[in-house]
Amino acid sequence: REAWNAREAGAALAGEWSELFEAYRAKYPELAAEFERRIAGELPPDYAKLSAEALAAIVAKGETIASRKASQNALDALAPHIPELLGGSADLAPSNLTMWKGCSPVRDAGGNYLNYGVREFGMAAIMNGLLLHGGLRPYGGTFLMFSEYARNAIRMAALMKINPIYV
């Protein structure tokens, strides 16, 4: 049991982290608050107002469009205001319209859109891990038929009671 007991070491590391974060908070209060908001999974404070305005604008147009186009319109309207949103698609972005006007591919240390390739299971499993870690709000898209490949990861998300956004 002692060989596996990491309570003391973990508590010491957590204490060090807390001290470092408090110093960071003192130096950068706005960034620290944003970090805490994202880790807590809270939406930006103005999200309700922005989403109501976006919905009103869409309803005013009165368009009859495909649901995937409506999804892209929603992303175009809301994603610029949700900096933690991280999208992706299993090699079908031109068809399922999961890319939005301001998205950019994840390369090295930047971007907000993952090109998963033909990997529905990998996409769903990565989304689960990102959501469990915290700080990011992942969404990913494929066609319903191909969600069969992701079934186990989608099932795990349901069992863990987490909610990545499946498009």
Side-chain angles (χ1 to χ4, degrees), residues 41-124:
E42 297 171 1
L43 289 166
D46 57 349
Y47 178 79
K49 177 180 175 266
L50 291 167
S51 62
E53 290 171 355
L55 181 59
I58 290 168
V59 169
K61 283 184 181 178
E63 294 177 302
T64 301
I65 55 177
S67 57
R68 61 182 179 240
K69 183 60 181 169
S71 173
Q72 186 181 46
N73 289 348
L75 285 169
D76 283 338
L78 298 173
H81 307 287
I82 309 170
E84 63 271 24
L85 195 64
L86 177 69
S89 179
D91 205 33
L92 295 165
S95 299
N96 61 27
L97 305 178
T98 51
M99 297 181 94
W100 53 282
K101 291 176 186 166
C103 72
S104 61
V106 171
R107 301 280 189 262
D108 299 323
N112 56 10
Y113 193 86
L114 287 166
N115 298 298
Y116 290 101
V118 185
R119 294 175 189 88
E120 278 81 358
F121 173 75
M123 176 182 70

Side-chain angles (χ1 to χ4, degrees), residues 2-166:
E2 285 304 311
W4 291 89
N5 187 351
R7 288 181 183 167
E8 288 181 30
L13 290 170
E16 289 176 29
W17 162 253
S18 293
E19 288 177 23
L20 286 170
F21 190 72
E22 288 308 317
Y24 180 82
R25 182 195 320 273
K27 193 170 183 178
Y28 306 103
E30 290 176 13
L31 291 174
E34 177 67 7
F35 174 79
E36 289 179 313
R37 180 192 68 76
R38 291 184 193 190
I39 289 295
E42 297 171 1
L43 289 166
D46 57 349
Y47 178 79
K49 177 180 175 266
L50 291 167
S51 62
E53 290 171 355
L55 181 59
I58 290 168
V59 169
K61 283 184 181 178
E63 294 177 302
T64 301
I65 55 177
S67 57
R68 61 182 179 240
K69 183 60 181 169
S71 173
Q72 186 181 46
N73 289 348
L75 285 169
D76 283 338
L78 298 173
H81 307 287
I82 309 170
E84 63 271 24
L85 195 64
L86 177 69
S89 179
D91 205 33
L92 295 165
S95 299
N96 61 27
L97 305 178
T98 51
M99 297 181 94
W100 53 282
K101 291 176 186 166
C103 72
S104 61
V106 171
R107 301 280 189 262
D108 299 323
N112 56 10
Y113 193 86
L114 287 166
N115 298 298
Y116 290 101
V118 185
R119 294 175 189 88
E120 278 81 358
F121 173 75
M123 176 182 70
I126 289 167
M127 289 168 49
N128 289 350
L130 290 168
L131 194 59
L132 287 168
H133 177 274
L136 294 172
R137 186 70 175 128
Y139 74 89
T142 188
F143 288 120
L144 182 60
M145 180 60 203
F146 299 140
S147 70
E148 288 296 311
Y149 299 121
R151 183 191 315 209
N152 290 331
I154 293 170
R155 180 175 180 267
M156 288 305 301
L159 289 171
M160 292 184 286
K161 298 181 179 173
I162 60 173
N163 56 352
I165 302 167
Y166 299 110

